[in-house]
Amino acid sequence: MYSQPESRIVIIEDDQTIREGYAYLINHTSPYQVVATYPSFDAAKHKISKDQPDVIILDIQLPGTNGIDALPQLKKLLPQVYIIMLTVYETEKTILDALANGASGYFTKNTPTAKLIEAIKDVLNGGGPMSPDVAKTVILSLQKNPDSPLTKRETQILELITIGKDRGQIAKELFIEVETVKTHTKNIYTKLNVNSKAEAIQVAKDKRLV
Amino acid sequence: MYSQPESRIVIIEDDQTIREGYAYLINHTSPYQVVATYPSFDAAKHKISKDQPDVIILDIQLPGTNGIDALPQLKKLLPQVYIIMLTVYETEKTILDALANGASGYFTKNTPTAKLIEAIKDVLNGGGPMSPDVAKTVILSLQKNPDSPLTKRETQILELITIGKDRGQIAKELFIEVETVKTHTKNIYTKLNVNSKAEAIQVAKDKRLV
DNA sequence: AAAAAAATACCCCCTAAAGGGTGATTTTTT
DNA sequence: AAAAAATCACCCTTTAGGGGGTATTTTTTT
């Protein structure tokens, strides 16, 4: 599926200058048309369905409902819409929350309009555009700790523990005895300085061991 | 920190045509220099430290040690190096494994050299470049299920359960009583059709509820 | 304003799964 | 040859987790 020139864009952004600037440039330098702009989600929510947007450009720091909370609601109103986040926030949590809640792309506000237009094309073609720094943050969030004190087998077992498997399931999955799983678990606990599954999971998440 | 023109590139790729093609184009159309190329990690591992690469372009499907397994070893040999994966595989698991193991970027093999050169610049500047389809896969892997049957509070509690918190910790964290946590947990179990924490975690992961 | 949904809180009972200790053999790496 | 990792076994103890039931308050939706 390729992007259609008629693709309809809505911009939700409280800063009038940015809002109108992007709108003007998209309308005049791209094949897409900005069919509506709103200064807040609350102003948009009752009208946006009528706009039938294909892509929404959504700011995070909005008056009233913020962009993150607006995301699931927009998705509910317009299940097929692609949403590109535009924000000055680039903390890991904000970025991950936005993506978890259904954003298709994420850009920081200094992004030139040309890049944004490219991003619109990307999402319409099924891609997931991000600015380089955002991508970096996402990648870092996925990265495992390369200096894990655990052996390969122990890491494997810890991984299964973190996804909720019990001793029996782990044993079956790895074709080993329950007692062996127990031994590995004990060794894991010793190395991580914990003495329960719950604590092990917490340390694992915290130190990105899995 | 900006990328230095002298930045040193190593290519590890078994297909001679691709390997030499990229090497030639990078050397002749970019400010970077390809200081060595290898057809496999096993061929590279004893010599690559001497090459002092800033960036390694690494194929996944290599004879002998594959690219994913090579990643941690390369990181050990050259802790500061940036690694860009280049592959035909684009399954979620492969991509996530590569990023988890320390890759800085990820491209599919049809990527034009110009994009790859841009990616080299990106990683040297601290970015995390990915081709649009890869980025999309990464974003999808982070996405939550928008049709969760759980309420906000229940989702919150399930989230805490998945990171290994026990009733007491959850209660404390949410400023509610342990008994309330229990009630929520019961409701979660009913909705998810499970009857243990372990199962709940598995369903949560499986259905991307958290 | 009324109804529905969500969040909060308590009580009793009960056991399965988890955790601690100790020891030993086999396989893989260095 | 030595060290590290992975495998398996037996005993014993406990607690955090789970089932059932009931009820009030707060928030949201209609």
Side-chain angles (χ1 to χ4, degrees):
Chain A
M1 196 254 261
Y2 293 96
S3 66
Q4 298 301 309
E6 322 89 61
S7 291
R8 302 164 68 83
I9 318 293
V10 164
I11 300 175
I12 305 177
E13 156 71 60
D14 64 328
D15 184 309
Q16 188 187 336
T17 311
I18 295 178
R19 187 172 71 240
E20 293 179 355
Y22 275 128
Y24 181 85
L25 285 166
I26 291 172
N27 278 331
H28 290 266
T29 69
S30 89
Y32 312 114
Q33 45 172 320
V34 176
V35 292
T37 69
Y38 301 97
S40 74
F41 170 70
D42 302 312
K45 64 178 157 190
H46 297 301
K47 305 199 228 160
I48 196 164
S49 294
K50 306 254 169 56
D51 299 328
Q52 296 183 265
D54 300 294
V55 178
I56 298 171
I57 293 167
L58 179 61
D59 189 16
I60 288 192
Q61 49 278 226
L62 292 170
T65 310
N66 71 56
I68 302 281
D69 293 334
L71 263 171
Q73 300 187 51
L74 285 168
K75 277 285 180 180
K76 203 165 190 175
L77 287 169
L78 302 153
Q80 301 304 320
V81 81
Y82 293 109
I83 299 174
I84 297 174
M85 305 305 286
L86 196 66
T87 172
V88 290
Y89 291 128
E90 43 181 314
T91 62
E92 179 171 312
K93 183 165 171 25
T94 310
I95 293 172
L96 262 26
D97 276 353
L99 297 178
N101 283 303
S104 301
Y106 199 113
F107 286 82
T108 42
K109 266 193 182 163
N110 48 34
T111 303
T113 313
K115 287 277 172 196
L116 197 59
I117 291 171
E118 209 180 291
I120 293 171
K121 190 177 124 204
D122 279 346
V123 292
L124 288 168
N125 286 325
M130 295 180 264
S131 44
D133 48 341
V134 171
K136 180 66 177 186
T137 304
V138 171
I139 288 176
L140 281 179
S141 82
L142 297 171
Q143 216 115 334
K144 280 203 289 189
N145 180 348
D147 300 316
S148 171
L150 305 181
T151 68
K152 203 155 190 172
R153 199 53 150 180
E154 287 162 359
T155 303
Q156 207 174 159
I157 286 173
L158 183 56
E159 170 104 54
L160 293 172
I161 288 174
T162 62
I163 58 171
K165 309 263 181 178
D166 64 30
R167 292 172 179 173
Q169 292 176 300
I170 294 173
K172 200 169 290 176
E173 202 160 322
L174 301 181
F175 304 105
I176 56 180
E177 295 304 308
V178 173
E179 281 300 325
T180 308
V181 175
K182 242 182 108 175
T183 303
H184 284 303
T185 308
K186 288 176 196 169
N187 292 333
I188 291 170
Y189 289 2
T190 304
K191 288 185 180 178
L192 301 189
N193 245 278
V194 300
N195 49 355
S196 79
K197 204 160 142 175
E199 284 179 274
I201 293 175
Q202 289 176 58
V203 174
K205 304 268 176 189
D206 190 48
K207 300 197 174 174
R208 294 198 204 278
L209 263 22
V210 292
Chain B
M1 195 256 262
Y2 293 94
S3 66
Q4 299 301 311
E6 323 87 60
S7 290
R8 303 165 66 85
I9 317 294
V10 163
I11 300 175
I12 304 178
E13 157 70 59
D14 63 329
D15 184 310
Q16 188 187 335
T17 311
I18 296 178
R19 187 172 71 241
E20 293 179 355
Y22 275 127
Y24 181 86
L25 286 165
I26 291 171
N27 278 332
H28 290 266
T29 69
S30 90
Y32 312 116
Q33 45 172 320
V34 176
V35 293
T37 71
Y38 301 97
S40 74
F41 170 70
D42 302 312
K45 66 177 157 192
H46 298 301
K47 304 199 228 160
I48 197 164
S49 294
K50 305 254 169 58
D51 299 328
Q52 294 182 267
D54 300 295
V55 178
I56 298 172
I57 293 167
L58 179 62
D59 188 16
I60 288 192
Q61 49 280 230
L62 291 170
T65 311
N66 71 56
I68 302 282
D69 293 334
L71 263 170
Q73 300 186 52
L74 284 168
K75 278 284 179 182
K76 203 163 192 177
L77 285 169
L78 301 154
Q80 300 305 321
V81 82
Y82 293 109
I83 299 174
I84 297 174
M85 306 304 286
L86 195 66
T87 171
V88 291
Y89 290 127
E90 44 181 314
T91 62
E92 180 172 312
K93 184 168 172 21
T94 309
I95 293 171
L96 263 26
D97 276 353
L99 297 178
N101 284 303
S104 300
Y106 198 114
F107 286 82
T108 42
K109 266 194 183 165
N110 48 35
T111 303
T113 313
K115 287 277 172 196
L116 197 60
I117 290 170
E118 209 179 289
I120 293 171
K121 191 177 123 206
D122 279 347
V123 293
L124 288 168
N125 286 326
M130 294 180 265
S131 44
D133 48 341
V134 172
K136 180 66 177 185
T137 304
V138 170
I139 288 176
L140 281 180
S141 82
L142 297 171
Q143 215 115 335
K144 279 204 289 190
N145 181 350
D147 300 316
S148 171
L150 305 182
T151 69
K152 205 155 189 172
R153 199 56 150 178
E154 287 162 359
T155 302
Q156 207 174 160
I157 286 173
L158 183 55
E159 171 104 52
L160 294 171
I161 288 175
T162 62
I163 58 171
K165 309 262 181 178
D166 64 32
R167 291 173 180 172
Q169 292 175 301
I170 294 173
K172 200 169 291 173
E173 200 159 325
L174 302 181
F175 304 104
I176 56 180
E177 296 304 307
V178 174
E179 282 298 327
T180 308
V181 175
K182 237 181 115 176
T183 303
H184 284 303
T185 307
K186 287 177 195 171
N187 292 334
I188 292 170
Y189 290 3
T190 304
K191 288 184 180 179
L192 301 188
N193 246 278
V194 300
N195 48 356
S196 79
K197 199 162 146 175
E199 284 179 274
I201 294 175
Q202 289 176 58
V203 174
K205 304 268 176 188
D206 191 47
K207 300 197 173 174
R208 295 198 200 279
L209 262 23
V210 291

